[in-house]
Amino acid sequence: TIASPTWKENLEQIGAKNVDIIYWGYDEDDFSHLVPTPDRDFTIIHAGLLGYDRLPENLFQVLSELIKELPQFREKLKIQLAGQIDFSVQESIRKNNLSANFTALGTIPRDHALQMIVNSQLLLLLLNKADNAQGRIPGKFFEYLRAKRPILCLGPKDSDVARIMKETQSGFATTYEDTSEIKAYIKTLFSNYLAGKTNETRGDFEAYYVENQTRKVAAFLDGITRDVFV
């Protein structure tokens, strides 16, 4: 088994047989006690380690431009980053004059982080700027899906994450460099936010529930034991 479709293909290209995918998935029990309460501010949230290899320089530039272009954006925008943040990220925020809109939360309890993501106006998912990014599916992506909040993913447009996002109607995926698409998506969400419209996603993501993934593992084990004891 392997964790993504692209990596499955890579294994098959070097001779592996009978390969299947087991996704990391999300655990419903983590969310059962949470009550989503959409933030009053226009919050953009990233949860987890954020290193220099995922620095969203162009995103920060877009946000800086929107502050100048859109009434109320400066007042409403809140960028909240939970977890360890590389110095280059904080420096880029400062350079783009976003310090007043930014909060570095540091390491926070898991329940707090999950409550943040279900309350957010926009979730930020940044894929590593690396050769294997097409098949890299961060574990938090599945929790983002379950949060039912719109996701902005930056990385290859043909990545496995982008495919799943399209399939589940969970947000928008584009490259780090495409500032026009990034800006258009954020402007749409902000317009909905000002109009009091919910940006909650409504696609079907239950295939990525850990119980459903575990059923696949159980089926594989049944097959193995059946072959052994027949």
Side-chain angles (χ1 to χ4, degrees), residues 22 209-222:
I22 302 295
Y209 179 23
V210 289
E211 281 195 10
N212 291 326
Q213 294 300 308
T214 304
R215 286 190 182 97
K216 292 178 66 175
V217 177
F220 296 154
L221 294 175
D222 284 345

Side-chain angles (χ1 to χ4, degrees), residues 19-189:
V19 182
D20 211 332
I21 305 160
I22 302 295
Y23 293 102
W24 183 259
Y26 67 91
D27 189 343
E28 185 64 32
D29 288 346
D30 290 338
F31 293 84
S32 60
H33 63 289
L34 301 178
V35 179
T37 307
D39 291 328
R40 296 180 65 180
D41 293 313
F42 187 73
T43 48
I44 299 178
I45 289 174
H46 180 275
L49 180 68
L50 184 49
Y52 71 92
D53 60 339
R54 289 181 287 149
L55 169 63
E57 177 74 38
N58 289 332
L59 169 64
F60 295 148
Q61 177 186 329
V62 164
L63 295 176
S64 181
E65 292 172 0
L66 289 174
I67 282 176
K68 299 172 185 176
E69 296 171 11
L70 298 179
Q72 298 183 274
F73 198 74
R74 179 187 299 275
E75 174 191 349
K76 298 295 185 181
L77 174 65
K78 298 292 183 293
I79 306 164
Q80 298 180 345
L81 307 181
Q84 295 183 9
I85 307 166
D86 189 76
F87 172 78
S88 62
V89 176
Q90 301 197 51
E91 180 62 18
S92 179
I93 287 171
R94 185 198 62 77
K95 185 176 70 174
N96 285 285
N97 300 312
L98 296 170
S99 297
N101 305 88
F102 166 64
T103 304
L105 298 171
T107 303
I108 61 176
R110 176 171 170 75
D111 275 358
H112 184 186
L114 292 175
Q115 187 67 62
M116 281 179 56
I117 69 173
V118 301
N119 292 352
S120 70
Q121 297 294 341
L122 176 61
L123 293 169
L124 186 59
L125 186 70
L126 305 171
L127 302 184
N128 295 69
K129 299 173 185 177
D131 292 340
N132 66 351
Q134 185 171 340
R136 185 180 292 274
I137 307 179
K140 66 170 166 280
F141 171 55
F142 300 102
E143 294 172 341
Y144 278 14
L145 288 180
R146 174 57 184 80
K148 301 181 185 178
R149 308 306 297 164
I151 303 167
L152 173 61
C153 174
L154 300 184
K157 286 189 176 183
D158 60 349
S159 69
D160 292 331
V161 167
R163 179 188 59 79
I164 294 172
M165 287 180 61
K166 183 176 181 180
E167 167 195 304
T168 57
Q169 303 175 54
S170 55
F172 183 70
T174 190
T175 65
Y176 280 89
E177 295 78 24
D178 200 330
T179 55
S180 60
E181 289 195 344
I182 294 170
K183 180 179 282 189
Y185 184 61
I186 294 174
K187 286 178 73 172
T188 296
L189 293 182

